[in-house]
Amino acid sequence: MTKRFRLRNGREILEERAFLVGVEISASTSRATSSSLSSSPAVPLFPIAESLAELAQLVETAGLKVVGSTHQRVASPNARTYIGAGKVEEVKAAVTGMGVETVVFDDELSAGQLRNLEKEFGGDVRVCDRTALIIDIFSQRANTKEATLQVQLAQLEYQLPRLTRMWTHLERQAGGMVKGMGEKQIEVDKRIIRERMAALRRSLTSVREHRQQHRDRRSGTPIPVLSLVGYTNAGKSTLLNRLTGAAVLAEDKLFATLDPTTRRTQLPNGKECLLTDTVGFIQKLPTQLVAAFRATLEEITEASVLLHVVDIR
């Protein structure tokens, strides 16, 4: 049992067992949906083995232990449970046999799919999708006011269409005598969340304006800006530290840093430039985070040169 505890942020926490589930859309379906755009054979954008390997990295970064995985090729995802009935039974057996506490799906699930899967796997088993996992990692890594604001907005955007799962217990507890209690609470919560989202967007607008002022000041000086871009954990922060002597956090983890950092450095020819570290790429990055981190991503648009950092190990 003691082996399941690990340190995170100076605290000892229980390392949950996680089981991964992926879905690969069959090539024939992909060709049918893309035939109007191209006559060439369709190739999956993210091969399932590669996608699940990345998901395993994400799960471990979040502090969970991967104990197994499975995937299924389908013509289209099941509307009720995302995977087919037979695969649901296979995952249930794995959950029981391996003592799994969290089942992580490689794609975003609807509120209904999350609810149905939790019923299938049992009340003590948590079901999580890739989007919620990445947002949780970003939440763990948010160390500045700007990053915290952006993560909070992404969390609320993800939660808003899924509030049904949180309040259906009200009507069950009332035994049907107070019909609609859950719906009324959902509407109240939706209003509160929308108001909070509006406030966060106003704060982020202020952040963008502040960053634009910094960019405007930089543009007034004839110093080129080089932005380091690339996959998360490719070594961008390490490269920035080596070239500029900066002390940016650099760890062998996905999304070790979220905020762009700019430092002045001298090139071999004696000229100076500004070197900027940016948030890393990842497959299937949730749209909530792309929108929320607009203030951060805008740093790239002002760069004179994009330097693509690639880990060739």
Side-chain angles (χ1 to χ4, degrees), residues 3 6 28 39 44 64 91 94 142 182 199 224 270 285:
K3 291 183 179 180
R6 65 187 301 183
S28 59
S39 58
L64 286 72
V91 177
L285 184 65

Side-chain angles (χ1 to χ4, degrees), residues 30-280:
S30 300
R31 281 196 294 271
T33 56
S34 62
S35 59
S36 60
L37 300 177
S38 172
S39 58
S40 59
V43 177
L45 188 58
F46 305 121
I48 188 65
E50 180 182 327
S51 190
L52 283 175
E54 183 183 81
L55 182 65
Q57 283 188 288
L58 288 167
V59 168
E60 289 167 0
T61 297
L64 286 72
K65 181 180 180 180
V66 177
V67 296
S69 67
T70 187
H71 68 274
Q72 181 179 38
R73 172 176 283 189
V74 297
S76 60
N78 185 294
R80 184 178 177 276
T81 55
Y82 201 74
I83 52 177
K87 185 60 69 171
V88 169
E89 292 301 318
E90 177 187 326
V91 177
K92 284 172 67 174
V95 166
T96 302
M98 300 179 183
V100 172
E101 289 130 331
T102 302
V103 178
V104 185
F105 279 73
D106 194 30
D107 296 290
E108 187 168 323
L109 302 175
S110 69
Q113 288 167 340
L114 285 166
R115 183 171 60 251
N116 293 332
L117 287 165
E118 286 181 345
K119 288 180 181 177
E120 291 283 355
F121 300 149
D124 295 333
V125 178
R126 185 166 65 107
V127 177
C128 173
D129 61 25
R130 174 184 271 257
T131 298
L133 179 67
I134 294 176
I135 291 175
D136 180 65
I137 293 171
F138 270 52
S139 178
Q140 294 178 27
R141 298 284 187 267
N143 295 317
T144 66
K145 179 181 178 182
E146 177 183 347
T148 300
L149 288 172
Q150 294 176 124
V151 170
Q152 286 177 351
L153 179 58
Q155 287 173 325
L156 293 177
E157 288 179 336
Y158 178 81
Q159 291 170 7
L160 187 60
R162 294 169 175 80
L163 287 176
T164 307
R165 298 173 65 235
M166 299 170 58
W167 292 111
T168 50
H169 70 283
L170 288 176
E171 291 177 20
R172 290 200 304 270
Q173 290 174 355
M177 296 177 63
V178 192
K179 188 176 181 180
M181 281 180 66
E183 283 120 6
K184 290 178 182 178
Q185 186 61 54
I186 289 169
E187 290 308 312
V188 171
D189 283 0
K190 282 184 177 180
R191 176 172 53 79
I192 293 172
I193 285 180
R194 290 191 181 104
E195 290 173 354
R196 177 60 179 155
M197 288 170 64
L200 288 170
R201 290 193 180 101
R202 288 193 294 271
S203 297
L204 286 172
T205 297
S206 176
V207 169
R208 283 196 290 270
E209 291 172 351
H210 184 67
R211 282 198 172 276
Q212 187 60 52
Q213 290 172 3
H214 279 283
R215 288 194 291 266
D216 290 343
R217 284 198 293 270
R218 289 204 302 258
S219 64
T221 59
I223 301 178
V225 179
L226 278 68
S227 284
L228 302 176
V229 299
Y231 188 81
T232 177
N233 202 32
K236 299 183 299 300
S237 297
T238 299
L239 182 60
L240 178 76
N241 290 340
R242 290 292 298 271
L243 294 177
T244 68
V248 173
L249 176 67
E251 296 181 331
D252 188 18
K253 293 181 180 179
L254 304 185
F255 300 116
T257 55
L258 299 183
D259 296 291
T261 302
T262 301
R263 293 290 186 270
R264 187 186 295 258
T265 189
Q266 193 173 55
L267 298 173
N269 61 7
K271 294 184 178 180
E272 290 187 327
C273 74
L274 296 175
L275 202 61
T276 299
D277 185 15
T278 60
V279 177

